[in-house]
Amino acid sequence: MRKFLAVTPLVTTAVAAVLTLGVAAPAHAANGWNATVQCTKWRISDSSGHGFFNGHGWAKTQPDAWKAAIKHANDQMPQGYRAKHCTKKKITRG
């Protein structure tokens, strides 16, 4: 029992030291970014625009969130169309 009581303050001190050194990441870093883009629905056969599509993406960094949103817009396009001239509309933390 005495050995256990002697070790407990050492463990508590070690854990406190690790946490103060920044090993624990801030809570907002894990949230990432949510991005929204608006892209023109572009018909490939005659290169003409036919309305707009919104794409939404999430990633740990802002550039990756924009890329994910553009990919989402492209994935929604029907066969024979693609997303073109995407405009960055909104990006938020979390």
Side-chain angles (χ1 to χ4, degrees), residues 83-94:
K84 193 169 181 181
H85 302 299
C86 295
T87 305
K88 297 174 180 178
K89 291 295 184 181
K90 180 177 78 170
I91 191 160
T92 56
R93 176 75 98 176

Side-chain angles (χ1 to χ4, degrees), residues 8-73:
T8 304
L10 293 175
V11 171
T12 305
T13 305
V15 169
V18 167
L19 292 176
T20 57
L21 291 174
V23 173
H28 62 82
N31 291 339
W33 294 90
N34 290 315
T36 302
V37 296
Q38 184 178 30
C39 303
T40 304
K41 180 180 173 184
W42 199 258
R43 189 179 329 169
I44 296 169
S45 62
D46 62 354
S47 294
S48 60
H50 297 273
F52 297 97
F53 266 78
N54 288 330
H56 306 283
W58 178 90
K60 294 255 183 203
T61 64
Q62 285 185 7
D64 290 341
W66 290 124
K67 289 176 190 175
I70 292 170
K71 182 182 181 325
H72 181 250

